[in-house]
Amino acid sequence: MGGKLSTKPAQNSTKLCPAKCYLHQNHLMNSKTSVNKILILAANPQGVSKLRLDEELRDIEEGLLRAKKREQFLIKSALAVRHRDIHRQIMDFEPQIVHFSGHGAGEDGLIFEDLTGGVKLVDGEALAGLFELFADHVKCVLLNACYSEIQAKAIAQYIDYVIGMSQAIGDKAAIEFAVAFYDALGAGKSVEFAHKLGCRVIRTAGIPEHLTPKLLTKNQLKREESVTKLLHCLLLMLNFQHGSLQFFYLTLPEIKNSE
């Protein structure tokens, strides 16, 4: 979401806002319901282009409010998030789903705010190490930011489901995806289905960015790692056999001469 970093301060930059919590009253009347907590972290610091973060949060909440299984979801949102707010919000709320909305800078990381409201980059390895500590309850991470597939791959080492963007994504596409994703979860669908629906809704909205959101799973990465290790072992065996054959052919004349 958003594009390259701008050297000009953004107008009407988001000020520090206390975390907001939304709880549907049906949950209070049904203590037996299993609740999925969604933590939305948003950042739009000074010096980067202005994003429609409020619209995204509003549309997600409105979608879940009308959802069939709305009593199973609890949402908390935090704006102007700094790097230290990430672990604080996760520890306080103990969510199953963590959603980041903001800017991404590719290999350099996701863009949060520093203590003065400026840009603070947090790279993939740092985020992965953080989420490793909360993998007992965080099951899904959605990074709704440009070029965030890099961070998603790092986090997916420890979290069951992680969604990142393979390239730049516009505000409209990012909002369409997020709203449809949570619409599906609110209807009781799986994360895989929710990801597919989000991509299809981007396309039905007439936005040519439906291939940008990428779903990664911890099991998928483990399988790919196992295949990579197997291929590495096979290559080592082939190289060893090739080396043995070379040694045999090189020493063959010497054997003949010694006879």
Side-chain angles (χ1 to χ4, degrees):
M1 190 188 250
K4 296 181 179 179
L5 292 182
S6 168
T7 56
K8 298 180 179 179
Q11 295 181 349
N12 300 323
S13 58
T14 304
K15 294 182 180 180
L16 185 62
C17 176
K20 177 176 60 176
C21 188
Y22 158 78
L23 175 63
H24 194 272
Q25 61 180 0
N26 284 357
H27 168 65
L28 298 176
M29 296 185 290
N30 186 2
S31 60
K32 295 182 180 179
T33 302
S34 176
V35 177
N36 291 294
K37 297 179 181 179
I38 303 170
L39 175 62
I40 300 180
L41 304 174
N44 195 185
Q46 301 171 16
V48 297
S49 58
K50 179 71 174 175
L51 299 174
R52 295 156 61 191
L53 302 182
D54 290 343
E55 181 180 344
E56 181 178 353
L57 297 177
R58 181 199 66 203
D59 290 351
I60 290 172
E61 290 186 356
E62 285 181 354
L64 283 173
L65 184 61
R66 60 165 300 282
K68 180 170 61 176
K69 297 184 181 294
R70 56 187 176 272
E71 73 279 359
Q72 296 182 11
F73 291 90
L74 172 63
I75 297 179
K76 181 180 181 181
S77 60
L79 304 180
V81 173
R82 302 162 298 179
H83 73 279
R84 66 176 60 158
D85 296 322
I86 305 171
H87 70 269
R88 287 175 176 174
Q89 292 289 341
I90 295 175
M91 285 195 298
D92 290 347
F93 194 53
E94 297 186 340
Q96 284 69 52
I97 302 170
V98 176
H99 176 119
F100 172 75
S101 183
H103 286 280
E107 293 282 355
D108 292 333
L110 299 181
I111 298 176
F112 293 88
E113 296 199 9
D114 63 16
L115 297 178
T116 62
V119 169
K120 171 67 177 178
L121 288 163
V122 182
D123 64 37
E125 289 304 314
L127 290 167
L130 194 62
F131 277 104
E132 181 184 10
L133 299 176
F134 301 108
D136 59 329
H137 59 83
V138 176
K139 301 304 176 186
C140 178
V141 175
L142 169 52
L143 305 177
N144 212 7
C146 295
Y147 307 106
S148 55
E149 185 181 12
I150 297 169
Q151 291 76 43
K153 286 180 178 178
I155 295 170
Q157 297 174 86
Y158 310 108
I159 303 300
D160 293 344
Y161 300 97
V162 187
I163 296 171
M165 305 301 157
S166 60
Q167 57 187 8
I169 186 166
D171 266 355
K172 291 182 179 179
I175 292 172
E176 291 287 352
F177 178 83
V179 172
F181 180 82
Y182 291 109
D183 279 352
L185 293 185
K189 302 297 185 181
S190 66
V191 173
E192 291 92 341
F193 181 94
H195 168 260
K196 289 179 181 177
L197 180 66
C199 293
R200 305 287 170 84
V201 168
I202 291 176
R203 192 170 187 180
T204 57
I207 306 170
E209 299 177 45
H210 61 283
L211 298 178
T212 301
K214 301 295 183 183
L215 173 63
L216 303 168
T217 68
K218 184 169 66 174
N219 289 336
Q220 172 193 350
L221 290 184
K222 285 182 177 179
R223 287 195 298 269
E224 290 177 356
E225 185 179 351
S226 297
V227 171
T228 301
K229 287 181 178 179
L230 178 60
L231 290 174
H232 182 67
C233 290
L234 289 173
L235 286 172
L236 287 176
M237 291 174 62
L238 289 172
N239 288 335
F240 176 76
Q241 291 177 349
H242 179 68
S244 299
L245 287 173
Q246 277 191 327
F247 176 77
F248 175 76
Y249 285 118
L250 287 172
T251 56
L252 188 59
E254 296 180 6
I255 296 173
K256 288 181 178 180
N257 292 336
S258 65
E259 292 177 350

